[in-house]
Amino acid sequence: SKTVKSDIEIAQEAVLTPIASIAEKLGLNESEWEPYGRYKAKVSAHLLEKLDADGKIILVTSINPTPAGEGKSTVTVGLGQALNRIGKKTVIALREPSLGPTMGLKGGAAGGGYSQVVPMEDINLHFTGDFHAITTAHNALAAFIDNHIHQGNSLNIDPRRIVWKRVLDLNDRALRHVIIGLGGKTNGVPREDGFDITVASEIMAILCLSLSLEDLKARLSRMLIAYTYDGEPVFVQDLQVEGALTLLLKEAIHPNLVQTLENTPAFVHGGPFANIAHGCNSILATKLGAKLGDYLVTEAGFGADLGAEKFLNITARAGKFTPNAVVIVATIRALKMHGGLTKDELKDENLDALAAGMENLACHIDTIRAFGLPYVIALNHFITDTDREVALVNEWCAENNHPMALSKVWEDGGAGGEDLARMVTKVIEETENHYHPLYALDDSIEEKIQTIVRKVYGGAKVEFSSKANRQLASFKKNGWDKLPVCMAKTQYSLSDNPKLLGRPHDFTMHVRELKISLGAGFIVALTGSVLTMPGLPKHPAALDMNVTADGKVTGLF
Ligand code: ADP
């Protein structure tokens, strides 16, 4: 049966349409896009200024992720395919996967089953080279900083207070802390440094938040790189390298066009972390997709407490657009884990655990309502779900008046998402949209964080460490307090304790540290520890990957 095939087997059997006909379907003329081989293309970012009609923007988010898997990307792709099937011209926008998780824990990430974007191998490996360009721009800046110090340090940079590290798109824990500049006078000035993964680079976040090449350059020039011996901040513009950095990104800024298994147009562009950054594909891809289609479906990383909150408080504000609806993905398996089961117990029917786990979904629904947006719950169906379990979710939604549809896009592609597609277009047409961000940029940093903790997480209060308190004062003094807040929190729980599943109440959030991303334009609030350079597990996914003599890829999920 088809359901036992792996994602890569399904992707390899797909009949792809030449990218030229996808571009044609979108109404693009030859000067507006450029082929990158047979099945990939870049669409000009400049097109944004030329097109005026705006389609509807649909955000796909989910309950708190569990190791049982939620299938957000799968539903995003499937919903896009389904909308096309019911006659709505739809474009999809997704993040580009990082090689860290691909070679490490997860394997590839381009949707799943019969709802995938293709060519899957390319998207998961080097694709159109954007991550390479971002890595190079990031490391070029690091080299410019070290060279500046080596050549006399006229900016008076304190080598102990450089906040700009180096990056690599791999999981490599051995590079978290390094000493550079060893070897004597001709080899630079020795100092402590470290590597982050490319998706944690502020340049990745900036690329995804920029509205044009000019905006990209302005954001790059504002980035904080170090402090002087007198404690004064030093910015990229002080080094005068924003031109060179922008140059390195001049192709990467253009959204990449691919297709789904059913030839629905899809942008795959950018992929910032969803904790220390905002976790969404580029605004350019989202806005361009919405202009080229009547509907644009996109997703944001992790659950609605992180991804949707940031999409609605940070991304939509930066992109100056109004989202039209939110799809909240839930699975019976994950809900049962929120209801207290372990992963091994999920195969058996358990209505009590499922009923208890609905609390987690309820919290995320409240969040989307707090933003004033229409929503639909998508129950991502697994073949192990029992009829009684599905009925329970149905009844709960009906009793509480929540629009809901069963999604079978993983097993049936777009055909399995038509109910969901009809429900989404219905709520967009029939429900009033009162979208508004949850806080004003003029609120103090403390107030902004308190608003998120109370209205989104359902927590009681926020405690700031003494370090965070010192940083609050210094950010305020530097005039950096009028930016939105980007929360770095565990994705597993609504609280800052990854073990507290379901819907915890009356908890206190602990803000350990703050970080300023002036180019991206947000203040990162770190709760708990966040690894910006992950490590590999004992059995990395890479061990199961291979390529045959004739170039066929195996094991990439
Ligand atoms: P997320 O975006 O939430 O991380 P993905 O859509 O990437 O999740 O899916 C993660 C994995 O789970 C993929 O390998 C996908 O094929 C699988 N998956 C998703 N939905 C289903 C489903 N309904 N049944 C079986 N497997 C699924």
Side-chain angles (χ1 to χ4, degrees), residues 150-170:
H150 177 75
Q151 304 291 353
N153 197 7
S154 57
L155 288 172
N156 199 29
I157 293 171
D158 182 347
R160 299 160 309 181
R161 295 198 68 195
I162 295 172
V163 296
W164 192 257
K165 295 205 272 183
R166 287 172 158 84
V167 297
L168 196 67
D169 188 33
L170 284 175

Side-chain angles (χ1 to χ4, degrees), residues 61-120:
T61 185
S62 76
I63 60 172
N64 286 98
T66 69
E70 283 58 56
K72 245 183 355 259
S73 312
T74 307
V75 172
T76 304
V77 176
L79 174 59
Q81 296 183 144
L83 282 162
N84 272 300
R85 282 180 69 98
I86 64 165
K88 311 285 180 190
K89 188 178 177 194
T90 302
V91 181
I92 294 160
L94 288 175
R95 285 168 293 165
E96 178 178 341
S98 157
L99 276 173
T102 298
M103 306 306 276
L105 266 182
K106 272 186 72 166
Y114 288 84
S115 293
Q116 295 186 53
V117 281
V118 281
M120 188 257 218

